[in-house]
Amino acid sequence: MTASSISQITAQGGIKIVLVIAILILLSVVTKTQGARTQALRRITTFVFALFAIAGIIFPQAISSIASFLGVGRGSDLLLYLLVVAFFAALVVQWRHNVATEQKITQLARFVALLEAREQTTTNQTGLEQPETVDPGAADATA
Amino acid sequence: MNQSPPGNHEVALVIPIFNEGPVIGEVIRDAAKTFSTIICVDDGSSDHSAKTAREAGAIVLRHPVNLGQGAALQTGFDYIKNYTSIPYLATYDADGQHCTQDVSAMYILAKEKNLAVVFGSRFLNDKTQIPKIKRLILKTAAFFTAKSTGMKLTDAHNGLRLLRRDALDHINLSQNRMAHASQIVSQVAASNLAWAESPVEIKYTEYSKAKGQSLLNSVNIVTDLLIGKP
């Protein structure tokens, strides 16, 4: 009796624990690692995700029994929960990717700006003391 | 030399500009009365800001695309490090809300007390009329800045700062947008550079209020600081 009621309690809380741990692990993996490792882990995750999806499609009963083992009512509910986690993880990965891309664009734009400035400075050695003589024609090129 | 205002040849102004066409010429001509070197970083403006700034006598660096004020400042810092030998720089807003006299005062203070960084604060005198909500948000930001960096600043996100040349070795802004203001503070805190605050006046003109940050942008700043790190 006692053993079964304990398993009932853990079964009810099971899905919450699984989801929270999944989010934490994904977050730490995605934020702590960089470069090739992240990419490899992301591909493995995607691969595993695909395998489960295929298994779920072929054996729908399996998802239902996993769901009831974790204390989720139906297999489709479990799928929804997993989808929420996957969606959140994808958002975070995309965010990190955008930040990294933005840094690259920034460096590129800065390089272009400094290159242009250097060309102006070398055409006029005293340009720093008398900025008004820095080639004003360059700006008119597009006007 | 006796006639020239304090900091005339020793301080370069770094002014990020993004579509400031209506006011930038006036702001530069006014600042040029005091400072001989004015460096504008045009952050991908779609108007005539860059041309106007150049005609007004500024050195103009141009980002080919818009990146944000933090990125523009860092480009200006890189230019000063690599292409000039000027000993001080001041970050200065393009919308005409700062006063050159305040920069001169910061320069004198830095020279006297051998400081590497002087932050402007609008809370150290009563010249600035600050709307109540804005005051609350700035004070909250200053409180959290103090808590997280150990630097007891009275103001946060004030665009006017004076940096000595060697301070640039400790500052590398990766926060492209407005969160750079907090990043400068934390990098100065990590560097052990000598710093102080100096009272400044902010002139909230109709133009600067229209151009200025929405209070909602504080949400973006906090988000960038927490999870926007590259």
Side-chain angles (χ1 to χ4, degrees):
Chain A
M1 275 300 274
T2 333
S4 78
S5 65
I6 285 170
S7 79
Q8 186 123 20
I9 288 163
T10 50
Q12 280 165 355
I15 186 62
K16 289 173 188 169
I17 296 166
V18 169
L19 290 175
V20 168
I21 290 175
I23 290 174
L24 292 179
I25 290 174
L26 280 169
L27 257 184
S28 71
V29 165
V30 167
T31 53
K32 294 268 161 60
T33 61
Q34 283 191 332
R37 270 192 75 199
T38 312
Q39 194 180 40
L41 286 171
R42 210 160 52 225
R43 285 171 182 177
I44 292 170
T45 312
T46 313
F47 185 65
V48 172
F49 191 79
L51 279 185
F52 273 109
I54 291 166
I57 290 164
I58 299 173
F59 312 107
Q61 308 315 329
I63 292 182
S64 288
S65 46
I66 293 171
S68 66
F69 175 75
L70 292 173
V72 186
R74 301 176 305 167
S76 53
D77 290 345
L78 178 65
L79 281 184
L80 179 67
Y81 290 145
L82 291 178
L83 207 60
V84 167
V85 174
F87 176 69
F88 180 69
L91 275 187
V92 175
V93 167
Q94 194 57 49
W95 175 290
R96 305 287 310 174
H97 185 71
N98 285 346
V99 170
T101 307
E102 194 185 274
Q103 285 298 312
K104 288 178 198 167
I105 294 172
T106 301
Q107 285 162 9
L108 194 61
R110 186 165 293 145
F111 183 78
V112 170
L114 291 174
L115 200 66
E116 190 184 50
R118 193 178 62 183
E119 280 165 10
Q120 288 175 25
T121 315
T122 47
T123 55
N124 178 8
Q125 295 300 325
T126 57
L128 296 183
E129 289 302 312
Q130 291 143 0
E132 64 274 8
T133 59
V134 169
D135 179 22
D140 300 344
T142 51
Chain B
M1 231 12 219
N2 289 338
Q3 254 73 47
S4 43
N8 182 14
H9 293 290
E10 296 241 292
V11 182
L13 296 190
V14 176
I15 309 181
I17 48 179
F18 179 58
N19 295 340
E20 308 282 358
V23 293
I24 189 63
E26 179 70 33
V27 169
I28 291 172
R29 276 187 291 276
D30 178 60
K33 290 175 194 157
T34 315
F35 300 104
S36 62
T37 308
I38 295 170
I39 296 162
C40 287
V41 186
D42 174 40
D43 193 23
S45 293
S46 54
D47 68 355
H48 54 279
S49 291
K51 186 165 173 274
T52 310
R54 214 167 253 138
E55 285 167 356
I59 297 168
V60 179
L61 316 177
R62 290 189 302 174
H63 283 169
V65 289
N66 178 247
L67 295 169
Q69 200 185 69
L73 285 178
Q74 185 60 46
T75 299
F77 295 168
D78 283 4
Y79 179 81
I80 285 181
K81 266 200 288 190
N82 297 322
Y83 301 110
T84 76
S85 54
I86 202 145
Y88 291 90
L89 72 93
T91 64
Y92 199 83
D93 282 3
D95 57 10
Q97 63 172 339
H98 295 322
C99 315
T100 50
Q101 300 94 303
D102 289 336
V103 181
S104 298
M106 293 162 99
Y107 165 74
I108 292 165
L109 181 72
K111 286 281 260 192
E112 271 178 9
K113 300 203 169 164
N114 194 25
L115 302 169
V117 183
V118 180
F119 295 99
S121 171
R122 74 203 95 179
F123 293 107
L124 290 179
N125 61 25
D126 48 12
K127 285 185 186 168
T128 306
Q129 298 295 313
I130 307 163
K132 274 203 179 90
I133 305 172
K134 193 165 182 104
R135 173 185 290 267
L136 179 70
I137 289 198
L138 287 167
K139 277 297 186 187
T140 311
F143 173 78
F144 282 108
T145 305
K147 282 286 164 199
S148 63
T149 62
M151 287 176 58
K152 291 203 172 54
L153 293 171
T154 57
D155 197 356
H157 288 257
N158 192 315
L160 195 53
R161 315 166 189 85
L162 186 89
L163 303 172
R164 201 171 58 200
R165 192 177 178 81
D166 58 298
L168 296 181
D169 295 334
H170 301 271
I171 290 170
N172 182 21
L173 301 177
S174 59
Q175 292 284 2
N176 278 2
R177 291 169 295 276
M178 294 313 290
H180 72 269
S182 304
Q183 202 178 20
I184 290 183
V185 176
S186 60
Q187 288 175 350
V188 168
S191 71
N192 292 323
L193 293 166
W195 63 275
E197 277 191 314
S198 177
V200 302
E201 179 187 359
I202 305 289
K203 290 175 282 187
Y204 290 114
T205 61
E206 283 309 312
Y207 179 84
S208 75
K209 273 190 269 186
K211 275 286 288 194
Q213 298 188 71
S214 147
L215 288 176
L216 264 180
N217 199 30
S218 51
V219 174
N220 296 332
I221 293 171
V222 172
T223 314
D224 277 346
L225 283 173
L226 291 179
I227 51 178
K229 281 179 188 161

